[in-house]
Amino acid sequence: MTHLQALLKNSVRQCPTKTAIQFEGECVSYADLEHQVRKVAGGLQKLGIHQGDRVAWFLPNCLEAILTTLACYQIGAVAVPLNYRYVAEEVIDVVERVDARMILFHVDKMQIVQPLLPTHEGMIAVSVGSTHSTPDDIHPFSVLLETEALVSGINVEPGNPAFILFTSGSTGHPKGVIHSHAGAFAGIETSRQIFEFTSEDVVLVGKPISHAGGLQTQLMPALSVGARVVLSMRPTPASAVSIIQAESVTEYGMLASDLLDFVEYLEQNPTGLPTLKNSIGSGDAVPTDLHHRFRDLLGWEVMEGAGMTEIGGYYAANPRFGTRKWGSLGLPTPDTELRIVTAEGDDCPSGETGEIVLRTPSATIGYWNDEQATTDLFRGEWLHTGDLGHFDDDGYVWFIGRKKLMIVRRGSNIAPAEVESIIDEHPLVHAAVVVGLRDPRDGELPVACVALIGKQDDSSEKTIRAYVADQLAEYKNPVHYLFFDELPRTGTGKFDRHQLQELVAENFGD
């Protein structure tokens, strides 16, 4: 039995009657959670799922998604979570690429999934959620729970695939990132250590568990130590605050963009959150100004970290306790070797920018059916993140930008994150994303996409331009500004740079 298969073992032994999952008013104890996982595992086998088969699930955050994932681990099947915001074409693409043997889906997605079945002969379909009638070719989820429980897990090698997560595709065609049983558990352990989860914690999991941020850094580490998980699905700031108060939540992780919304809500609706002891902003850089605002509201500092789907969690994070350096990514996470290298692969001295490369036991074993992309990701044992950064003299990592996002203007590099951090500090600005615009003379020009806190008026752009010009070299100043009521986001909740790049080209291109 792999460590991943035994994830619930200690929690079940130490606190069998304690609530493991709380979702939509239902509480499931650790003992009952394990029992239901074994029943679903038996149900999957009865429907014909074998070791190595890919089981796709197209579900929001819900108990059934957790049961399915843990059951797949038990029988050696490969879980393939699908972004719940996928449209039909994206679902078809993933299902066909992994040759899914089964798809579980919420009844709200029936119109997307049902047309797939006649063209995917042999694929088993299971629906989740109440419905008056289920088509003959679709099984209700209850069928999986009516089967005799699996007595013991299938013998699985630690290096065998456990799940495949598809990247958001904001910079190109989504790739299927494969994580082994050993790698998945290593990522869970890393998150457990950096957050210092204990059985006393109450963890609000609001990030989608179809992504590494929800599944690997929040849900699974919390379950591994016997914490109580309150499951939600991208709650609004008002809803999150209500849940934190009602359930005495101690830890809540958010994307940096959601953290901004959370802070703005609390500023407008002052609310005491005495039980909340830790939070992290990830996915994008957390501006220094937002760090200040968070501490002013809650009296303690928000964590900041950086991770990627390819390592199933974080590769750097500010410590839970001890010195946190605002604006930095923090220190390398446990068991992660982190270097910053030049284009030639030499180590950069402190303060010099290079690419962040990693060696960690949680690294992916490769991209699904994409040898070239896998080869490009690794140089020997080192995984190349595509993130640019530098070390300071204390060993903290500072993020400069994405290698592929770097704007090159007349031979000079412009890191979007640097410009964004300045614009974000202006009191009129809610959020900003800077992208490059192709130009025949300069190569690329920086363009700022900005969402304002209030209504835009004739002076907004002039005011922000003057503010930025005082703090940045002239060549880094955005040439154009494009204003939005709200910046578009990807399926993972990050700001959608790819879509913004297209909008900028439409508005300012030749």
Side-chain angles (χ1 to χ4, degrees):
M1 176 175 284
T2 67
H3 291 303
L4 190 64
Q5 290 176 301
L7 184 82
L8 298 177
K9 186 176 180 180
N10 287 337
S11 300
V12 172
R13 185 177 67 247
Q14 295 174 6
C15 48
T17 61
K18 180 181 177 180
T19 295
I21 304 291
Q22 186 172 328
F23 177 68
E24 293 187 346
E26 180 182 358
C27 294
V28 179
S29 71
Y30 272 96
D32 192 29
L33 177 63
E34 183 190 45
H35 181 64
Q36 289 190 50
V37 167
R38 293 193 177 280
K39 288 183 77 68
V40 172
L44 292 175
Q45 287 185 322
K46 187 174 181 179
L47 289 179
I49 301 301
H50 302 293
Q51 186 170 354
D53 285 343
R54 273 76 64 196
V55 175
W57 57 259
F58 189 29
L59 300 166
N61 285 4
C62 60
L63 178 61
E64 291 85 353
I66 298 172
L67 294 175
T68 300
T69 302
L70 291 172
C72 283
Y73 297 163
Q74 292 302 312
I75 64 173
V78 183
V80 186
L82 304 182
N83 188 327
Y84 199 59
R85 296 170 66 177
Y86 274 173
V87 296
E89 290 78 6
E90 293 167 310
V91 174
I92 294 170
D93 175 55
V94 171
V95 165
E96 290 183 344
R97 284 164 63 187
V98 302
D99 190 20
R101 182 78 177 88
M102 173 183 282
I103 183 167
L104 298 95
F105 66 97
H106 195 276
V107 292
D108 288 348
K109 302 295 185 180
M110 183 76 75
Q111 289 185 329
I112 291 178
V113 174
Q114 194 169 11
L116 293 177
L117 304 183
T119 59
H120 293 76
E121 187 177 353
M123 186 171 69
I124 305 160
V126 176
S127 66
V128 172
S130 59
T131 181
H132 295 298
S133 61
T134 303
D136 293 338
D137 56 350
I138 297 175
H139 302 277
F141 189 84
S142 58
V143 167
L144 299 177
L145 293 167
E146 294 169 356
T147 308
E148 186 175 342
L150 185 74
V151 176
S152 61
I154 301 298
N155 184 33
V156 176
E157 293 297 321
N160 285 5
F163 61 85
I164 302 172
L165 294 178
F166 276 78
T167 58
S168 63
S170 60
T171 58
H173 193 53
K175 297 187 288 289
V177 181
I178 313 168
H179 284 282
S180 68
H181 275 246
F185 187 77
I188 292 166
E189 271 292 285
T190 295
S191 292
R192 180 192 66 78
Q193 292 179 61
I194 65 172
F195 290 116
E196 301 191 25
F197 283 129
T198 73
S199 61
E200 301 301 313
D201 276 310
V202 180
V203 182
L204 172 56
V205 177
K207 293 181 180 180
I209 62 172
S210 56
H211 306 296
L215 182 69
Q216 287 284 103
T217 76
Q218 300 288 298
L219 173 66
M220 294 301 178
L223 292 178
S224 74
V225 299
R228 176 160 62 96
V229 169
V230 181
L231 191 64
S232 184
M233 181 69 173
R234 294 291 303 276
T236 63
S239 178
V241 166
S242 177
I243 293 170
I244 292 167
Q245 288 184 311
E247 304 302 334
S248 299
V249 168
T250 62
E251 202 278 341
Y252 178 37
M254 290 170 274
L255 292 172
S257 51
D258 292 331
L259 178 66
L260 173 61
D261 295 337
F262 186 74
V263 166
E264 289 193 339
Y265 175 83
L266 288 176
E267 288 173 338
Q268 297 166 14
N269 304 272
T271 309
L273 301 174
T275 64
L276 191 64
K277 303 299 182 186
N278 193 36
S279 188
I280 189 166
S282 59
D284 279 302
V286 178
T288 301
D289 175 63
L290 186 55
H291 278 284
H292 283 282
R293 291 160 67 188
F294 185 96
R295 190 177 67 174
D296 289 345
L297 287 166
L298 294 163
W300 46 272
E301 297 175 8
V302 67
M303 290 177 69
E304 185 170 5
M308 59 192 303
T309 304
E310 284 80 355
I311 65 163
Y314 295 103
Y315 63 74
N318 274 274
R320 169 92 189 258
F321 300 105
T323 302
R324 296 182 184 177
K325 292 193 176 186
W326 287 352
S328 80
L329 301 181
L331 300 167
T333 52
D335 297 322
T336 298
E337 296 177 70
L338 190 154
R339 298 167 56 210
I340 296 177
V341 301
T342 65
E344 292 75 30
D346 298 321
D347 288 290
C348 294
S350 175
E352 183 177 311
T353 296
E355 183 181 5
I356 298 171
V357 300
L358 312 169
R359 185 160 59 188
T360 171
S362 69
T364 176
I365 57 176
Y367 294 113
W368 181 261
N369 285 346
D370 197 335
E371 292 184 10
Q372 185 58 56
T374 301
T375 299
D376 293 343
L377 181 66
F378 290 96
R379 306 285 190 281
E381 296 180 334
W382 294 92
L383 184 153
H384 283 241
T385 67
D387 289 341
L388 298 175
H390 66 80
F391 282 120
D392 65 17
D393 291 337
D394 297 319
Y396 283 71
V397 184
W398 294 80
F399 178 75
I400 300 301
R402 288 287 297 169
K403 191 175 180 181
K404 292 181 180 178
L405 296 178
M406 190 66 72
I407 299 167
V408 183
R409 184 178 186 183
R410 288 185 179 264
S412 297
N413 290 341
I414 303 170
E418 179 186 10
V419 185
E420 290 161 3
S421 66
I422 298 298
I423 300 174
D424 282 336
E425 290 176 359
H426 194 282
L428 290 178
V429 175
H430 171 73
V433 171
V434 174
V435 299
L437 173 68
R438 295 298 303 169
D439 182 81
R441 291 188 176 182
D442 282 24
E444 285 183 297
L445 300 172
V447 177
C449 302
V450 178
L452 298 175
I453 291 174
K455 294 284 187 180
Q456 179 188 359
D457 59 38
D458 294 339
S459 66
S460 299
E461 180 174 339
K462 183 179 180 179
T463 301
I464 297 171
R465 276 185 179 277
Y467 177 82
V468 174
D470 285 341
Q471 301 185 63
L472 283 176
E474 184 178 357
Y475 77 91
K476 296 180 182 179
N477 276 231
V479 175
H480 302 291
Y481 281 78
L482 189 60
F483 291 94
F484 296 79
D485 292 331
E486 185 175 345
L487 294 175
R489 304 193 187 201
T490 67
T492 60
K494 300 178 184 179
F495 294 128
D496 194 335
R497 293 178 182 272
H498 183 67
Q499 183 179 345
L500 289 171
Q501 192 110 38
E502 291 180 341
L503 291 171
V504 163
E506 291 174 9
N507 280 270
F508 302 113
D510 293 336

